[in-house]
Amino acid sequence: MKTLISSLLICLLSPALQAAQWQPLLDNTLSQWDIYLSYKHTETYDGSMPVDKQGKPIAPIGLNTGNDIHKVFTIVPENNQPVLRVSGEYYGAVTSKASYRNYHLKLQFRWGELKWPPRENKLKDSGILYHAIGEHGQEYFRSWMLSQEFQIMQGHIGDYWQQATSAIDIKAYQPEYIMNPVADEQQDFIKVGVGEDIKGFVLRKENHEKPQGQWNTIELICFEGQSLHIVNGHVVMVLKNSRYLDNGVSKPLEEGKIQLQSEAAELFYKNIAIKPIDALPSQYAAMFN
């Protein structure tokens, strides 16, 4: 009888227990994040090391230095809660101090008004980088870590980009001619990224972005190399077999830090929280069949 009562109590309390598992990642001092700033890129940037007028290499601003001056990542209170403002003026990221594996990440974002070179005449852009490992500045813009990207771009929330030498399999339509692959959970998995025929970009299934100025809810679910990109409650991409190339050898990429990019556009984040999971949520598990 006691066992039955205990089981019933656990069942009744489980929603509260599950809610208690959420760990807030945002506070007024960004205590759970490091800040890396690289460069103010220009319209002519081509992936090479930036140089000064004398042709000498320009060092990146660096890790946990210069943000106080440049104010790229700042906390602005809103309704008595911390909101992270990303100015976008310099490329870089806030990077979680902790590494994570098998988790559900949830946050809200909205666009600001400002844009900077080299994106003044392009779509506003940012992104969530996950399973981030190694040194900062490994990829084309010399600003981020080796990782997988959940794209945040106007009209493209939930796209996939590989960063540095990462690769992954995505349920998507095979591309033809100049077309990009488009995600769809009814399709077979295709291989994307470094070392594969299809290089590192796949379009989200559908556009579920809210109008300018409104808050969007983003969810990223990662479990044992599988991941889901979810935008305002809609699954827009199903991914598995996360990996990277290390001196030509394919290795699993299933855990790492989380980065929120600064990429030449102003945006705001709030309600950033994470919780561990020990399985894919049941409503999504069949998507990986």
Side-chain angles (χ1 to χ4, degrees):
M1 186 67 177
K2 288 182 179 179
T3 302
L4 177 60
I5 293 172
S6 297
S7 298
L8 288 172
L9 285 172
I10 290 171
C11 290
L12 290 170
L13 290 172
S14 60
L17 290 173
Q18 290 176 2
Q21 290 179 342
W22 286 101
Q23 174 192 352
L25 294 181
L26 191 60
D27 57 34
N28 289 322
T29 61
L30 289 173
S31 65
Q32 298 183 69
W33 302 86
D34 291 315
I35 294 173
Y36 184 81
L37 299 178
S38 61
Y39 303 98
K40 269 187 178 181
H41 286 305
T42 65
E43 295 286 349
T44 58
Y45 180 71
D46 61 1
S48 58
M49 172 65 76
V51 296
D52 62 20
K53 293 180 179 179
Q54 287 72 45
K56 295 181 179 179
I58 300 173
I61 294 171
L63 183 64
N64 294 326
T65 180
N67 187 62
D68 289 344
I69 298 172
H70 302 296
K71 298 187 183 303
V72 177
F73 299 101
T74 55
I75 296 296
V76 291
E78 182 179 286
N79 298 324
N80 295 317
Q81 66 175 327
V83 174
L84 173 62
R85 176 185 179 258
V86 182
S87 77
E89 186 173 6
Y90 286 78
Y91 276 56
V94 288
T95 304
S96 66
K97 292 182 178 180
S99 291
Y100 299 97
R101 180 188 183 106
N102 298 341
Y103 60 87
H104 187 164
L105 175 73
K106 184 182 291 188
L107 57 80
Q108 291 179 287
F109 90 91
R110 67 172 175 83
W111 295 113
E113 299 296 331
L114 300 176
K115 291 195 290 186
W116 311 88
R119 304 203 63 84
E120 284 182 303
N121 299 311
K122 298 177 181 177
L123 299 173
K124 293 173 184 173
D125 196 8
S126 185
I128 303 167
L129 306 182
Y130 58 103
H131 303 335
I133 62 173
E135 299 298 320
H136 296 268
Q138 297 184 56
E139 41 49 71
Y140 178 83
F141 286 103
R142 299 170 182 263
S143 302
W144 306 302
M145 300 164 76
L146 191 164
S147 56
Q148 311 289 15
E149 180 173 356
F150 184 134
Q151 170 90 303
I152 295 178
M153 177 191 273
Q154 288 177 304
H156 290 269
I157 312 301
D159 287 357
Y160 167 79
W161 277 101
Q162 57 84 199
Q163 295 290 347
T165 65
S166 65
I168 206 162
D169 301 345
I170 301 173
K171 279 197 168 183
Y173 287 97
Q174 288 281 349
E176 294 185 14
Y177 187 44
I178 63 171
M179 296 170 62
N180 292 305
V182 179
D184 189 285
E185 66 271 20
Q186 302 303 317
Q187 302 304 304
D188 292 332
F189 283 99
I190 62 174
K191 297 179 182 298
V192 180
V194 171
E196 307 297 347
D197 291 337
I198 301 171
K199 302 310 175 187
F201 174 69
V202 177
L203 286 162
R204 79 288 178 275
K205 178 183 177 181
E206 300 160 334
N207 180 24
H208 291 286
E209 183 180 354
K210 293 184 178 181
Q212 170 73 20
Q214 295 187 21
W215 289 99
N216 295 273
T217 298
I218 301 299
E219 297 175 72
L220 169 66
I221 298 176
C222 298
F223 183 74
E224 298 301 319
Q226 302 167 312
S227 53
L228 292 161
H229 295 185
I230 303 173
V231 180
N232 292 319
H234 299 271
V235 174
V236 297
M237 191 167 292
V238 179
L239 313 91
K240 73 172 186 178
N241 194 21
S242 177
R243 59 196 183 275
Y244 71 104
L245 281 184
D246 181 10
N247 292 319
V249 178
S250 181
K251 295 183 177 180
L253 183 59
E254 299 175 349
E255 63 182 297
K257 298 185 176 184
I258 296 167
Q259 298 190 288
L260 305 178
Q261 294 176 311
S262 173
E263 196 172 357
E266 181 188 35
L267 75 164
F268 298 84
Y269 289 102
K270 69 177 183 178
N271 296 328
I272 306 173
I274 195 168
K275 70 175 179 179
I277 59 174
D278 56 14
L280 284 169
S282 57
Q283 67 266 41
Y284 302 125
M287 291 183 173
F288 291 89
N289 295 337

